[in-house]
Amino acid sequence: MIRKVKPQIRVVGFDDGTFSFSSKLRREKTILIGVVMKGSQEVAGVLSRWITVDGKDATEAMIDAITSSRFKDLRVIMLKGITYAGFNVVDLERLHRETGLPAIVVVRKRPDIGAMEAALRKHFPDAEERLRLLKKAPPLVEMIPEKLYFQAAGVDEKTAVEIIRATTRTGLTPEPLRLAHMIASAVITGESKRE
């Protein structure tokens, strides 16, 4: 449990690389990057794993990256969304339980759950299993009206807000997530993309 959020709190932020659904450019896997930082100022390291596009291995990849890393003083996991590599849905409760770390999802737009549900039912025979993970996730909290939302497992809302603020240098996106996005896109496309 986090009692006090220090400015140099050690966090890991995950994002994935781009991918395409077109058959010509389609890849079976994409990169998952975790940037380990002390607050918003200092990068301590980078973790990486490959995950399956529309697969079911994102949660396991994050757990493995964290538990097998040399970074034993991590305090928080941050995610840039709850789905990776298409509809590779992260089980936030399992991620929190198996790492012993709070998990905070930070997004800039309110997810359209209805559209996600329709897409899952149309394209996935195991849609109900994936929907169950989406529906059991903690509730979405609006931090900045119509600009920033979060979900938190293993930490209360007030502390989650403090962590988001401590890890954000400029703009709205926490620095570990911003850098993970840039690195992941550079690995896949050869150049970092704007967040």
Side-chain angles (χ1 to χ4, degrees):
M1 174 159 180
I2 298 174
R3 290 189 175 89
K4 183 176 182 197
V5 177
K6 297 179 181 175
Q8 295 294 308
I9 187 168
R10 186 73 65 107
V11 302
V12 59
F14 284 102
D15 199 9
D16 59 348
T18 58
F19 58 92
S20 174
F21 287 114
S22 90
S23 59
K24 187 175 181 182
L25 300 173
R26 183 164 172 85
R27 297 173 191 228
E28 296 300 316
K29 296 201 176 257
T30 193
I31 195 80
L32 177 71
I33 295 291
V35 173
V36 178
M37 291 192 71
K38 295 177 181 178
S40 67
Q41 301 297 316
E42 183 182 338
V43 176
V46 178
L47 308 172
S48 69
R49 295 292 185 273
W50 289 93
I51 56 174
T52 309
V53 173
D54 287 335
K56 296 181 183 180
D57 55 357
T59 306
E60 187 64 41
M62 289 178 188
I63 292 168
D64 179 64
I66 292 164
T67 59
S68 65
S69 81
R70 64 182 172 86
F71 303 105
K72 302 303 179 196
D73 56 351
L74 290 172
R75 302 291 307 240
V76 178
I77 304 163
M78 300 185 91
L79 292 85
K80 196 169 185 193
I82 196 168
T83 60
Y84 285 76
F87 280 110
N88 199 327
V89 184
V90 175
D91 184 337
L92 287 181
E93 290 178 7
R94 180 177 169 219
L95 182 62
H96 163 60
R97 184 178 65 249
E98 293 192 23
T99 62
L101 299 172
I104 303 171
V105 175
V106 180
V107 293
R108 299 279 301 271
K109 294 179 183 174
R110 181 180 291 278
D112 185 342
I113 301 299
M116 291 171 79
E117 185 170 343
L120 282 167
R121 290 188 194 285
K122 181 177 179 181
H123 299 289
F124 292 88
D126 63 348
E128 293 308 317
E129 181 183 342
R130 293 172 197 252
L131 284 168
R132 182 184 57 77
L133 291 177
L134 287 172
K135 290 177 180 178
K136 82 172 192 172
L140 193 68
V141 177
E142 190 173 51
M143 183 171 160
I144 300 173
E146 298 183 26
K147 289 188 178 179
L148 195 68
Y149 305 85
F150 71 89
Q151 294 168 282
V155 65
D156 62 76
E157 287 181 17
K158 180 179 178 287
T159 305
V161 168
E162 289 178 35
I163 292 166
I164 293 167
R165 287 187 177 138
T167 56
T168 303
R169 186 183 306 177
T170 59
L172 297 174
T173 303
E175 201 66 8
L177 297 178
R178 190 181 74 78
L179 292 176
H181 176 78
M182 290 175 66
I183 294 167
S185 62
V187 168
I188 298 299
T189 68
E191 180 178 23
S192 63
K193 304 283 186 214
R194 289 190 68 203
E195 188 237 336

